[in-house]
Amino acid sequence: MTAACARTPEEERTCREQTAAVAAKPGAALAQRPIGKVELWTGGAITVGRRDADTRLAKLTVQTSGVSGGADVRLSQAITVGAGGGYASDVTKLADGKGRVDADGWTAATYASVHPASGVFVDAVAGVGRLTFDTRRTTAASSELVSGQRDASLRFGSLTAGYDGAARRATWSLYLRAKALDATLGAYAEHGSDTYALAYDKRRLNSLVGVIGGRIQFDREAGEVRVTPRVRVEYSHEFAAVDPQRIRYADWLDGASYQLVGDAWATDRVTLGVGGGFGFQNGWSLDLDLGVELAKRQSSATARVGAAKRF
């Protein structure tokens, strides 16, 4: 599940610059945001994705929708800090109706962006969240429908350092990012079958990802609308391993237990994204993005529609 969360400093900076650019005359320099001024933002997005099946993995379809909001303030010429939060719901379906997971949750985060020199930026995010999963699956042996509910808590953070450049109507960024996740999945048991329902032990998940990436964006005007087509490329490497899930039959909790190893985090991934933003003079912006993620034995594609409003 991808929970709605506070907008990252990089996204906030891009949104803020786009909003200022919409109000500016063509070719004019962007107005500097006043120091000490608090700005509020709200946003929403719908993401639809698919992971293709291969020899080991089932085909998955995913749909996520969420809303978020927050506020930030510019403390000096070089420092902006803020806080935000959000709520999201997610539906993941297995092919051929074999199962589905409905999830919802919230996150809250604080963030900061520092510009120690012209074009150079350092962004930091730290937050917490809670998730609830409702699972349903059809047992292979008896075709019975079993279901369960699982709660999870998470802590996350990221640190990004990079450089923003500009040339005429194009802006670009190169960056390095480290992302960390610490999540705890609670124990739960399925119900709906006296024989084939399973019980899942408590599980800890950790992730530490290093990312190198870049993006380029072009500014174009169509009447009173500022259009910003963009391209993004990222390579990421996962440094953490995933512990197996311990399971047992729900009607025999004192009996034998089994380890469900599954597929660990994909070690290396390449992400490609294309999209565009539309900025309006009333402060609203609309984003459309398509993305593909490639990894060993895995591939996925997503489409995202987002809207945001600054006050």
Side-chain angles (χ1 to χ4, degrees):
M1 171 182 176
T2 305
C5 64
R7 184 176 289 214
T8 66
E10 181 182 356
E11 292 172 327
E12 272 302 289
R13 182 171 57 253
T14 301
C15 180
R16 184 161 53 246
E17 291 173 352
Q18 182 186 57
T19 302
V22 171
K25 295 181 179 180
L30 298 183
Q32 292 293 320
R33 178 181 174 184
I35 295 174
K37 180 182 178 181
V38 177
E39 290 193 354
L40 305 177
W41 57 266
T42 61
I46 297 175
T47 303
V48 179
R50 183 185 70 184
R51 189 190 72 183
D52 293 329
D54 62 15
T55 56
R56 298 183 60 193
L57 302 175
K59 178 181 176 181
L60 297 176
T61 58
V62 182
Q63 179 175 325
T64 303
S65 59
V67 293
S68 58
D72 55 45
V73 58
R74 191 179 186 194
L75 300 180
S76 68
Q77 293 288 345
I79 301 175
T80 300
V81 298
Y87 171 85
S89 61
D90 176 286
V91 178
T92 302
K93 298 179 181 179
L94 281 172
D96 302 322
K98 294 179 180 179
R100 63 180 286 164
V101 178
D102 295 88
D104 60 77
W106 61 266
T107 58
T110 58
Y111 56 89
S113 184
V114 180
H115 296 259
S118 178
V120 178
F121 64 89
V122 178
D123 295 340
V125 179
V128 297
R130 295 282 299 181
L131 304 173
T132 299
F133 301 91
D134 292 304
T135 66
R136 281 181 285 174
R137 67 178 180 89
T138 302
T139 63
S142 63
S143 297
E144 294 175 288
L145 180 65
V146 295
S147 60
Q149 185 176 87
R150 190 173 209 177
D151 295 323
S153 62
L154 63 126
R155 296 151 294 281
F156 59 89
S158 69
L159 183 65
T160 305
Y163 183 84
D164 285 331
R168 295 185 179 180
R169 287 187 174 273
T171 57
W172 53 269
S173 293
L174 297 175
Y175 51 86
L176 296 172
R177 177 178 298 131
K179 302 188 297 183
L181 171 70
D182 178 23
T184 301
L185 303 177
Y188 81 106
E190 297 176 326
H191 55 84
S193 172
D194 295 332
T195 306
Y196 296 106
L198 299 175
Y200 295 74
D201 288 357
K202 182 178 179 180
R203 190 183 188 190
R204 188 80 172 266
L205 293 178
N206 293 286
S207 174
L208 179 61
V209 180
V211 180
I212 180 171
R215 64 176 177 87
I216 186 168
Q217 176 175 290
F218 302 92
D219 291 334
R220 295 291 183 268
E221 294 178 2
E224 297 182 349
V225 179
R226 179 61 60 104
V227 182
T228 54
R230 54 181 175 257
V231 178
R232 177 175 60 91
V233 180
E234 289 186 350
Y235 165 78
S236 60
H237 178 81
E238 174 64 68
F239 293 94
V242 177
D243 294 333
Q245 172 68 64
R246 188 174 293 276
I247 61 176
R248 65 195 77 220
Y249 286 105
D251 64 338
W252 193 19
L253 297 179
D254 295 330
S257 64
Y258 306 88
Q259 287 189 347
L260 183 63
V261 178
D263 284 294
W265 305 119
T267 303
D268 298 287
R269 295 178 183 269
V270 175
T271 303
L272 307 174
V274 296
F278 302 86
F280 304 93
Q281 292 186 343
N282 60 6
W284 279 97
S285 62
L286 176 67
D287 292 295
L288 305 173
D289 292 284
L290 299 175
V292 60
E293 188 174 75
L294 305 175
K296 186 178 180 180
R297 301 193 306 272
Q298 298 181 28
S299 64
S300 62
T302 60
R304 176 181 177 276
V305 179
K309 169 69 173 178
R310 296 198 68 87
F311 300 92

